[in-house]
Amino acid sequence: MRGEAIVELEGVWKVYRMGRRRRIEVEALRGVYLRVERGEFLAVMGPSGSGKSTLLHLMGCLDRPTRGRVLFEGEDISSMRPATLARIRNRRVGFVFQSFNLAPTLTALGNVELPMIFAGVPRGERLRRARELLARVGLRERERHLPNELSGGEQQRVAIARALVNSPDLLLADEPTGNLDTETGREVLSLISGAHGGGVTVVVVTHDPEVAAAAVRALRIRDGRIVGGTDG
Ligand code: ADP
Ligand code: MG
């Protein structure tokens, strides 16, 4: 029996236009079909430049396809109003990036609070939830630290807390262990696995065989096309 799709790509192309006259075309995705079911833990692998980040951005409604359709819970994102898209990005999807992408002038606590400010969560509730999430990722003692006062692994744990604080349905991680040593990478992977265990659908782009092994399904992308996958 097929489960319920959280996000689905139907014949998706993404063509970036470059150059002064925008005549140079880069085909980042070339007709991708992909269905991610609720509760999945999917790994996306493939060489640099193969379209993995582009795929993740489309799944997270950060960008629109050039051709084809991206459906979020069955609804075509191209026909959604900007406010609806913003709401999905803020409440339904959590992002984790290779380079952490924390706001440099905000403390760990401030970074985790940020998505709740956009969501209109009152201050008391924000502080309570931000502290709860920081404790969950083992950073209770670091809430007043700025990103540059934290190690890479700690910054990535703040980013995971931030990604999860609005209780998203879908967690998208783009090479989340790419800048971390093996041991720290394992800690980050265990947090991501924990989120999946708690019911979050996870899609992770990775070169790391340990991350791919933790996933339930892995697929491979090359030159903008899905070229293979494994189950189990
Ligand atoms: P990956 O994450 O697998 O390394 P990307 O999705 O980042 O691959 O990129 C796929 C292709 O699209 C690459 O050739 C890249 O140079 C190009 N690309 C990605 N983003 C842009 C952009 N914003 N503008 C132009 N070209 C881009
Ligand atoms: Mg990438």
Side-chain angles (χ1 to χ4, degrees), residues 4-9 34-38 58-61 70-74 77 170 172 201 203:
E4 190 191 342
I6 183 156
V7 61
E8 220 169 342
L9 276 67
L34 175 62
R35 183 184 156 88
V36 180
E37 289 179 6
R38 204 169 271 287
L58 288 169
M59 287 199 246
C61 307
V70 176
L71 308 174
F72 193 91
E73 293 183 332
I77 67 164
L170 179 62
L172 302 175
T201 306
V203 180

Side-chain angles (χ1 to χ4, degrees), residues 16 18 26 28 47-54:
Y16 295 109
M18 307 283 298
V26 179
S48 179
S50 57
K52 304 181 300 295
S53 294
T54 300

Side-chain angles (χ1 to χ4, degrees), residues 202-220:
V202 175
V203 180
V204 55
V205 164
T206 190
H207 289 291
D208 183 340
E210 284 191 37
V211 177
V216 179
R217 176 161 76 112
L219 60 83
R220 217 160 252 294

Side-chain angles (χ1 to χ4, degrees), residues 93-96 115 158-168 170-171:
V93 183
F95 282 95
V96 176
V158 173
I160 290 173
R162 178 182 61 181
L164 294 176
V165 79
N166 280 344
S167 305
L170 179 62
L171 179 65

